[in-house]
Amino acid sequence: DQQVKQNSPSLSVQEGRISILNCDYTNSMFDYFLWYKKYPAEGPTFLISISSIKDKNEDGRFTVFLNKSAKHLSLHIVPSQPGDSAVYFCAASGLGTSYDKVIFGPGTSLSVIP
Amino acid sequence: GAVVSQHPSRVICKSGTSVKIECRSLDFQATTMFWYRQFPKQSLMLMATSNEGSKATYEQGVEKDKFLINHASLTLSTLTVTSAHPEDSSFYICSASSTAYGYTFGSGTRLTVV
């Protein structure tokens, strides 16, 4: 059973507009959430994270929102740039510590159209 | 920032041989290291979690006798794919976690078994 879900396998956005990537999780024990960006044949690159004690974390063009009651988080990229085109993985960890194993969602492939 | 070096980046081996993949944390000590594999167009799947000096914890469905993990020091973990078969061809990624840097990923290893 998938504990971390990303229901949109792909997303296309015009350059300069906002990209919104969604993620849902099922395990209420998760307390730390991460977003990674991945290019083909490379390892994931960490983008941004959020602890369950917060509902928003912002870093430059990237903002992550967390709705604990809905077990939902989203990554906003604004403005989107062609270099943002990649696969984005939502990940969750926890079970009592922020440094437990990380469970990844299936990923969303983002294409930013110039 | 934290860097995790993983090599080789690509390896081609004959069916029945063994392949070793190394994962090193270059400027920090990793309390825990994780090994993932990714099939084409699929998410990263956690294979095992290893702590220095102790046996690795394997996820359900992962053969521990086939995927040997050695975590000899706080900066080095190795994954050995024994008696490799074509179905073992995949992209393998390691991750190191630390209290200072959270999760840091290696760049991955593309294994092709012919």
Side-chain angles (χ1 to χ4, degrees):
Chain A
D1 184 35
Q2 223 172 33
Q3 297 190 67
V4 180
K5 304 176 184 180
Q6 293 175 259
N7 293 321
S8 298
S10 63
L11 176 68
S12 288
V13 172
Q14 206 72 35
E15 181 180 4
R17 307 291 280 269
I18 185 171
S19 295
I20 300 176
L21 297 100
N22 293 304
C23 177
D24 298 285
Y25 61 96
T26 58
N27 192 335
S28 58
M29 294 298 289
F30 289 139
D31 62 5
Y32 191 62
F33 304 91
L34 312 96
W35 283 94
Y36 289 89
K37 175 181 178 180
K38 186 180 180 303
Y39 295 111
E42 292 184 14
T45 303
F46 170 75
L47 273 178
I48 193 168
S49 64
I50 188 166
S51 163
S52 61
I53 62 174
K54 293 186 173 183
D55 55 16
K56 178 183 174 181
N57 189 24
E58 191 173 350
D59 183 4
R61 296 186 298 115
F62 303 93
T63 303
V64 57
F65 295 92
L66 174 63
N67 183 332
K68 279 183 60 181
S69 60
K71 293 192 180 69
H72 176 84
L73 62 155
S74 61
L75 174 68
H76 292 210
I77 307 173
V78 56
S80 301
Q81 300 172 355
D84 296 330
S85 297
V87 177
Y88 289 77
F89 290 99
C90 169
S93 73
L95 305 178
T97 166
S98 293
Y99 301 104
D100 204 345
K101 60 189 179 186
V102 181
I103 308 296
F104 284 84
T108 296
S109 179
L110 173 66
S111 296
V112 180
I113 304 162
Chain B
V3 175
V4 170
S5 172
Q6 183 176 342
H7 71 90
S9 58
R10 291 178 179 272
V11 58
I12 301 173
C13 71
K14 289 187 177 180
S15 187
T17 62
S18 295
V19 173
K20 181 185 282 188
I21 303 169
E22 286 192 354
C23 181
R24 291 180 185 272
S25 56
L26 294 187
D27 45 10
F28 67 99
Q29 292 184 328
T31 51
T32 308
M33 285 191 173
F34 307 91
W35 287 94
Y36 297 83
R37 69 185 293 186
Q38 184 186 25
F39 293 101
K41 298 184 180 180
Q42 292 189 28
S43 182
L44 294 167
M45 300 297 297
L46 180 65
M47 297 175 67
T49 302
S50 74
N51 293 293
E52 183 262 342
S54 62
K55 288 185 179 179
T57 302
Y58 290 81
E59 295 300 302
Q60 194 173 9
V62 178
E63 298 175 59
K64 59 181 68 177
D65 293 331
K66 180 166 190 61
F67 298 100
L68 299 179
I69 291 172
N70 182 276
H71 195 158
S73 74
L74 286 172
T75 59
L76 174 64
S77 177
T78 60
L79 167 68
T80 301
V81 183
T82 63
S83 187
H85 291 287
E87 58 265 29
D88 299 323
S89 298
S90 189
F91 191 59
Y92 294 85
I93 304 173
C94 70
S95 170
S97 76
S98 64
T99 53
Y101 300 108
Y103 298 99
T104 305
F105 284 84
S107 53
T109 298
R110 168 70 63 194
L111 170 63
T112 303
V113 184
V114 297

